[in-house]
Coordinates of all heavy atoms in Angstrom, one line a residue:
V163 N -61.6 38.7 17.7 CA -60.6 37.5 17.7 C -61.3 36.3 17.1 O -62.5 36.0 17.6 CB -60.1 37.2 19.0 CG1 -59.3 36.0 19.1 CG2 -59.1 38.5 19.5
L164 N -60.7 35.7 16.2 CA -61.3 34.5 15.5 C -60.4 33.2 16.0 O -59.2 33.2 15.8 CB -61.2 34.5 14.0 CG -61.7 33.4 13.3 CD1 -63.2 33.2 13.5 CD2 -61.5 33.5 11.8
G165 N -61.0 32.3 16.6 CA -60.3 31.0 17.1 C -60.6 29.8 16.1 O -61.5 29.9 15.4
A166 N -59.8 28.9 16.2 CA -59.9 27.7 15.3 C -60.9 26.8 16.1 O -61.3 27.0 17.3 CB -58.6 27.0 15.3
S167 N -61.4 25.7 15.4 CA -62.4 24.8 15.9 C -63.8 25.3 15.9 O -64.1 26.4 15.3 CB -61.9 24.2 17.2 OG -62.5 23.0 17.4
G168 N -64.5 24.6 16.7 CA -66.0 24.9 16.7 C -66.6 25.7 18.0 O -65.7 26.3 18.6
H169 N -67.9 25.6 18.0 CA -68.7 26.4 19.0 C -68.1 26.2 20.5 O -67.9 27.1 21.1 CB -70.2 25.9 19.0 CG -71.0 26.9 19.6 ND1 -71.4 28.2 19.3 CD2 -71.8 26.7 20.9 CE1 -72.2 28.8 20.2 NE2 -72.4 27.8 21.1
I170 N -67.8 25.0 20.7 CA -67.3 24.7 22.2 C -65.9 24.6 22.2 O -65.2 25.3 23.0 CB -68.1 23.4 22.8 CG1 -69.6 23.7 22.9 CG2 -67.5 23.1 24.1 CD1 -69.9 24.8 23.7
A171 N -65.4 23.7 21.4 CA -63.9 23.4 21.4 C -63.1 24.6 21.2 O -61.9 24.8 21.8 CB -63.5 22.2 20.5
G172 N -63.6 25.5 20.3 CA -62.8 26.8 20.1 C -62.8 27.6 21.4 O -61.8 28.4 21.6
V173 N -63.8 27.7 22.1 CA -64.0 28.5 23.3 C -63.1 27.8 24.5 O -62.3 28.5 25.1 CB -65.4 28.7 23.8 CG1 -65.4 29.5 25.2 CG2 -66.1 29.5 22.8
I174 N -63.3 26.6 24.7 CA -62.6 25.9 25.7 C -61.4 25.4 25.3 O -61.2 24.3 24.8 CB -63.5 24.9 26.4 CG1 -64.8 25.5 26.8 CG2 -62.8 24.1 27.6 CD1 -64.8 26.5 27.7
N175 N -60.4 26.2 25.2 CA -58.9 26.0 24.7 C -57.9 26.5 25.6 O -57.4 27.4 25.3 CB -58.8 26.6 23.4 CG -57.5 26.2 22.6 OD1 -57.0 25.2 22.9 ND2 -57.1 27.1 21.7
P176 N -57.7 25.8 26.7 CA -56.7 26.4 27.7 C -55.2 26.5 27.2 O -54.8 25.6 26.4 CB -56.7 25.3 28.9 CG -57.3 24.0 28.1 CD -58.3 24.4 27.1
P177 N -54.5 27.5 27.6 CA -53.2 27.6 27.0 C -52.2 26.5 27.2 O -51.4 26.3 26.5 CB -52.8 28.9 27.9 CG -54.1 29.6 28.3 CD -55.1 28.4 28.5
A178 N -52.4 25.7 28.5 CA -51.4 24.7 28.9 C -51.4 23.6 27.8 O -50.4 22.9 27.6 CB -51.7 24.1 30.2
K179 N -52.6 23.4 27.0 CA -52.7 22.4 26.0 C -51.8 22.7 24.8 O -51.5 21.8 24.0 CB -54.1 22.2 25.7 CG -55.0 21.7 26.8 CD -54.8 20.2 27.2 CE -55.8 19.7 28.2 NZ -55.6 18.4 28.6
K180 N -51.6 24.0 24.5 CA -50.8 24.3 23.4 C -51.4 23.8 22.1 O -50.7 23.3 21.2 CB -49.3 24.1 23.5 CG -48.6 24.6 24.6 CD -47.1 24.3 24.8 CE -46.5 25.1 25.9 NZ -45.0 24.6 26.1
R181 N -52.7 24.0 22.1 CA -53.5 23.5 20.9 C -54.1 24.5 20.0 O -54.3 25.5 20.5 CB -54.4 22.5 21.3 CG -54.0 21.2 22.0 CD -55.1 20.3 22.5 NE -55.9 19.8 21.4 CZ -57.0 19.2 21.4 NH1 -57.6 19.1 22.7 NH2 -57.9 18.8 20.5
R182 N -54.4 24.1 18.8 CA -55.2 25.1 18.0 C -54.5 26.4 17.7 O -53.3 26.5 17.9 CB -56.7 25.3 18.5 CG -57.3 24.0 18.8 CD -58.7 24.3 19.0 NE -59.3 22.9 19.3 CZ -59.6 22.4 20.4 NH1 -59.3 23.0 21.5 NH2 -60.1 21.1 20.7
S183 N -55.2 27.4 17.3 CA -54.6 28.6 17.0 C -55.8 29.8 16.9 O -56.9 29.4 17.1 CB -53.9 28.8 15.6 OG -55.0 28.4 14.5
Y184 N -55.4 31.0 16.8 CA -56.5 32.1 16.6 C -55.8 33.1 15.8 O -54.6 33.3 15.4 CB -56.8 32.7 18.0 CG -55.7 33.2 18.8 CD1 -55.6 34.7 18.9 CD2 -54.8 32.5 19.5 CE1 -54.5 35.3 19.6 CE2 -53.7 33.1 20.2 CZ -53.7 34.6 20.3 OH -52.6 35.1 20.9
W185 N -56.7 34.0 15.4 CA -56.3 35.1 14.5 C -56.8 36.4 15.0 O -57.9 36.5 15.6 CB -57.0 35.0 13.1 CG -56.7 33.9 12.2 CD1 -55.8 33.9 11.2 CD2 -57.0 32.5 12.4 NE1 -55.7 32.7 10.6 CE2 -56.4 31.7 11.3 CE3 -57.9 31.8 13.1 CZ2 -56.5 30.4 11.2 CZ3 -58.1 30.5 13.1 CH2 -57.4 29.7 12.0
T186 N -55.8 37.5 15.0 CA -56.1 38.7 15.5 C -55.4 39.8 14.5 O -54.7 39.6 13.5 CB -55.3 38.8 16.9 OG1 -53.9 38.7 16.6 CG2 -55.8 37.8 17.7

């Protein structure tokens, strides 16, 4: 799975924020 953003912000991306995206 590939997430948007960087080393930390990409990992710490809680669902409730409804931010960023990911590729699967």
